[in-house]
Amino acid sequence: MYKLLIVDDEHIEIEALKYIISNSNLPINKIETANNGRNAIQIASSFSPDFIIMDIKMPGISGIEAAKIIKETLPYCKIIFLSAYNYFDFAKEAITIGASDFLIKPVSNENLISVLEKMIKLTKAEFMDRELKFSIECKFKQISTYFENELINYLLFAECKKSQIIEYFNALNIDFDYLYCLVMELDSNTIHDASSLKETMIKRRAIKIIKQDVASLSFQCLANYNKNMIYALLLTKSKIDTNNIETVLRKTSIYIESNLLIRNRLVISHSTEDLMGIKDMFINYKQYLLTHPSLRISCEPKFKSPMNSNQILDNENKLLENILILNESSSLIIVKDYVDYLYEQDYSLDTIKQYVYDMLIFIKKSICIKINKSLQNTLSINVNYKTQLKDILSKSSLYCFLQEQVIYFISLLKQHNAIPCDSVIDRVCNYINNNYMNNISLKQVSNKVNLSSHYLSKLFKEQKLVTFSDYLSQVRINKSKELLKNTDLAINVIGLKVGYNDSNYFTRAFKNSESITPKDYRNAANNYLNM
């Protein structure tokens, strides 16, 4: 059943409308009345009518003004305006505030009942739509929660594959550039005093508080718990200052302790792009909490971890690639990180020197092979790394030695006309502009400029602010637009000429880029030229 509010400054009009509705078969069981706009606003706030029949012209606040105020708190209420004047005079303003219909005085029984029947049908349909939408949102939330829990468990307990991790993020529709790992330990003595049901509720409530608080820093948070540990991924499109993160999480920790009565400690990582390193971070930070019982909160803690040969190799490759493109500042940063990492391990100084020696030989040989074999003789002159390393006794002297070697390598490459970073990207762009009609891949182009696919991809985005594939797609789309405007070639032929072997894929790519199909674009261009 529905509720109706009738608003009119004429008592006879109100009684007539009430009589017609009360003696009809309409499912309206409650009717309230008001004789002016101000009174209507007050009654509507407590009565919450489904429908309002409102006279437009009344003393004081008009029907239009009253309806505007009522709609702010009752957006789903259907308002039917009533007037002795032609409603077209008020239609424009009434429509802007959401009028549902108009009735002209004197109102016939048939018109009144017909309009109310229409409003009832509309209200039913909208209610069903809202219920369906709410049901879909609830199911989606359940599915998202399931995937979120599965992702955290996968990272903790499974042998992770990068492709699988990416699939989870895609399923959750999450796009991010920076990722932080968080581990919170809930005090086992206090949490285990609760019943198992209450313990679960406490953990879920703690996760909810974390998510709410980090949202203030524009983080999306995925989290789950295992025993008395909460594991979370904080994801964002922009890098967040560590001090801001620590300030928010310190408040979070205090709030959880004071409101849930659970002592807690937490660690948050530095930002990372290494999806395969998440599991190690979770494990290492859990261990860090267990071995530092006095810790309350720590951001980017330093701790010793097992020597990772892959990480050593990655650093060496990254250093080589930056040297090859004459990027001195990045090369020196990598050298410092490399030395820091070596000294964090439980290895002797001789072992560290051996790693450095191997890296220098690797870089020297790689430069000779990748850039110019004639450099081999130059690089071999007066180079006895083992003798030089023998005299090094401290971390600072080792860093200075490597710094000198990097600067030497880069200066030597400059003398032999090696290509700097900007020139490398310019070469890539020129290659794309000259070969867009062919089947171009990132790997193919990276081989042309002697860089790894991964590094070229990262370098390209840093320099051009778009990905390699997006740049290639835009070049192809721009070339296709020229052909669509200036030739009569069939659309599938144009697709082939700009590098799309599948005409359907070409059409989709074009529409995604230009928000219009190739055919419509051609028609619009021709119409413009014929004007």
Side-chain angles (χ1 to χ4, degrees):
M1 301 296 282
Y2 297 95
K3 296 186 289 184
L4 170 69
L5 173 62
I6 302 173
V7 187
D8 200 307
D9 58 338
E10 297 180 12
H11 180 71
I12 295 175
E13 189 69 32
I14 290 176
E15 291 301 317
L17 294 173
K18 281 180 65 178
Y19 179 80
I20 295 170
I21 295 165
S22 299
N23 288 279
S24 70
N25 293 323
L26 294 170
I28 296 173
N29 64 338
K30 292 182 180 180
I31 301 177
E32 290 285 348
T33 64
N35 59 7
N36 59 61
R38 190 176 302 280
N39 195 15
I41 294 168
Q42 293 172 347
I43 293 173
S45 65
S46 58
F47 182 51
S48 298
D50 300 292
F51 315 113
I52 299 176
I53 298 176
M54 177 101 69
D55 190 12
I56 290 179
K57 290 286 187 178
M58 291 183 291
I61 297 177
S62 69
I64 296 283
E65 293 170 313
K68 190 182 297 183
I69 295 170
I70 291 169
K71 271 288 190 179
E72 290 177 0
T73 55
L74 298 172
Y76 300 119
C77 178
K78 300 289 180 286
I79 297 179
I80 304 160
F81 281 115
L82 187 65
S83 178
Y85 306 93
N86 189 318
Y87 73 87
F88 284 109
D89 296 339
F90 308 97
K92 185 176 180 181
E93 189 175 3
I95 287 170
T96 60
I97 60 103
S100 298
D101 215 324
F102 300 87
L103 287 169
I104 306 299
K105 296 179 181 179
V107 182
S108 68
N109 296 17
E110 292 80 8
N111 282 348
L112 176 61
I113 291 171
S114 174
V115 167
L116 286 171
E117 284 178 340
K118 185 172 71 173
M119 293 301 104
I120 289 168
K121 286 181 180 178
L122 184 60
T123 299
K124 283 182 179 178
E126 289 178 353
F127 176 78
M128 294 297 290
D129 286 343
R130 289 198 298 273
E131 285 288 294
L132 178 61
K133 184 179 179 182
F134 178 74
S135 175
I136 292 171
E137 287 175 351
C138 286
K139 289 178 181 177
F140 180 76
K141 188 175 181 180
Q142 290 173 350
I143 293 170
S144 296
T145 302
Y146 169 79
F147 275 120
E148 179 178 343
N149 294 340
E150 281 293 300
L151 171 59
I152 301 298
N153 289 338
Y154 178 74
L155 291 168
L156 283 172
F157 305 117
E159 289 297 325
C160 298
K161 294 182 180 179
K162 187 174 181 179
S163 59
Q164 189 70 46
I165 298 173
I166 292 171
E167 282 184 22
Y168 274 110
F169 284 125
N170 290 340
L172 290 164
N173 195 29
I174 293 178
D175 182 25
F176 64 94
D177 291 325
Y178 297 92
L179 179 151
Y180 300 75
C181 294
L182 179 149
V183 179
M184 173 181 279
E185 180 191 28
L186 303 176
D187 183 69
S188 57
N189 294 324
T190 52
I191 197 168
H192 291 325
D193 289 341
S195 66
S196 59
L197 178 60
K198 187 176 179 181
E199 182 180 329
T200 300
M201 296 290 287
I202 288 170
K203 292 171 184 174
R204 289 178 178 173
R205 177 63 181 146
I207 288 174
K208 187 175 182 181
I209 292 168
I210 293 170
K211 288 185 175 184
Q212 289 173 342
D213 287 356
V214 299
S216 66
L217 295 173
S218 301
F219 277 121
Q220 284 184 280
C221 179
L222 305 178
N224 198 8
Y225 59 84
N226 180 254
K227 297 182 179 179
N228 65 319
M229 292 286 184
I230 291 174
Y231 301 91
L233 299 177
L234 309 185
L235 311 160
T236 179
K237 290 292 289 181
S238 56
K239 198 166 186 178
I240 309 296
D241 183 78
T242 305
N243 293 328
N244 293 341
I245 298 174
E246 184 172 354
T247 299
V248 169
L249 289 177
R250 193 173 294 279
K251 291 178 181 177
T252 302
S253 177
I254 294 169
Y255 184 87
I256 289 174
E257 181 167 335
S258 60
N259 284 267
L260 302 184
L261 305 179
I262 297 293
R263 292 191 297 274
N264 62 83
R265 304 179 305 124
L266 65 89
V267 176
I268 181 76
S269 77
H270 58 278
S271 66
T272 179
E273 299 174 2
D274 181 15
L275 298 181
M276 296 302 292
I278 295 172
K279 182 175 183 177
D280 287 338
M281 280 192 178
F282 279 157
I283 294 171
N284 288 329
Y285 286 172
K286 174 187 174 181
Q287 189 62 31
Y288 189 82
L289 285 169
L290 295 175
T291 55
H292 293 75
S294 61
L295 173 78
R296 180 60 187 264
I297 180 171
S298 177
C299 285
E300 304 183 7
K302 299 289 185 181
F303 57 91
K304 292 182 179 181
S305 58
M307 184 67 98
N308 187 331
S309 58
N310 287 333
Q311 185 169 343
I312 295 288
L313 186 58
D314 287 344
N315 280 337
E316 291 174 354
N317 284 325
K318 194 183 292 184
L319 177 59
L320 172 64
E321 287 171 337
N322 277 277
I323 289 173
L324 291 175
I325 59 173
L326 313 183
N327 193 336
E328 184 175 311
S329 58
S330 293
S331 298
L332 295 178
I333 290 171
I334 295 167
V335 164
K336 185 178 184 306
D337 291 343
Y338 180 78
V339 172
D340 287 342
Y341 180 78
L342 289 176
Y343 269 85
E344 286 171 6
Q345 315 310 313
D346 293 324
Y347 278 75
S348 65
L349 182 58
D350 288 340
T351 302
I352 291 173
K353 288 180 180 180
Q354 185 62 48
Y355 272 103
V356 171
Y357 173 80
D358 291 341
M359 181 189 71
L360 289 171
I361 297 300
F362 162 73
I363 289 176
K364 186 181 80 167
K365 289 182 177 179
S366 298
I367 289 175
C368 295
I369 293 169
K370 291 195 173 187
I371 297 297
N372 190 337
K373 290 184 179 179
S374 66
L375 288 181
Q376 183 136 15
N377 293 331
T378 307
L379 284 166
S380 300
I381 296 174
N382 298 323
V383 175
N384 190 335
Y385 295 131
K386 286 198 173 181
T387 301
Q388 295 179 45
L389 286 165
K390 188 177 181 179
D391 297 329
I392 292 174
L393 301 175
S394 68
K395 178 180 177 181
S396 59
S397 59
L398 179 61
Y399 171 63
C400 289
F401 170 70
L402 281 175
Q403 188 179 39
E404 290 171 359
Q405 298 306 312
V406 166
I407 293 171
Y408 168 69
F409 285 143
I410 290 175
S411 64
L412 195 61
L413 288 169
K414 285 180 179 178
Q415 292 173 26
H416 287 74
N417 300 318
I419 304 168
C421 172
D422 292 345
S423 298
V424 169
I425 300 304
D426 286 343
R427 279 182 60 192
V428 171
C429 292
N430 287 336
Y431 185 86
I432 291 173
N433 289 328
N434 293 326
N435 296 274
Y436 62 86
M437 69 293 297
N438 301 321
N439 186 20
I440 298 177
S441 69
L442 178 63
K443 184 175 182 180
Q444 175 190 352
V445 177
S446 64
N447 289 336
K448 293 281 184 184
V449 292
N450 296 315
L451 294 176
S452 69
S453 299
H454 172 75
Y455 189 68
L456 176 59
S457 176
K458 182 180 178 182
L459 191 65
F460 192 97
K461 189 171 183 181
E462 288 176 355
Q463 293 290 315
K464 305 302 288 186
L465 304 180
V466 293
T467 64
F468 174 88
S469 59
D470 286 346
Y471 182 89
L472 173 60
S473 295
Q474 196 54 56
V475 168
R476 285 172 166 167
I477 295 301
N478 289 339
K479 295 296 182 181
S480 69
K481 285 163 66 176
E482 293 176 12
L483 293 173
L484 287 166
K485 286 191 295 185
N486 302 321
T487 74
D488 294 322
L489 292 172
I491 288 172
N492 64 319
V493 174
I494 290 176
L496 289 170
K497 281 186 170 292
V498 296
Y500 292 100
N501 295 326
D502 185 331
S503 60
N504 291 328
Y505 181 68
F506 167 57
T507 299
R508 287 197 302 272
F510 192 100
K511 190 171 183 180
N512 286 339
S513 172
E514 305 300 316
S515 300
I516 189 173
T517 65
K519 181 179 178 182
D520 291 340
Y521 178 88
R522 170 174 272 173
N523 291 338
N526 289 338
N527 290 338
Y528 178 81
L529 292 173
N530 293 329
M531 287 177 61

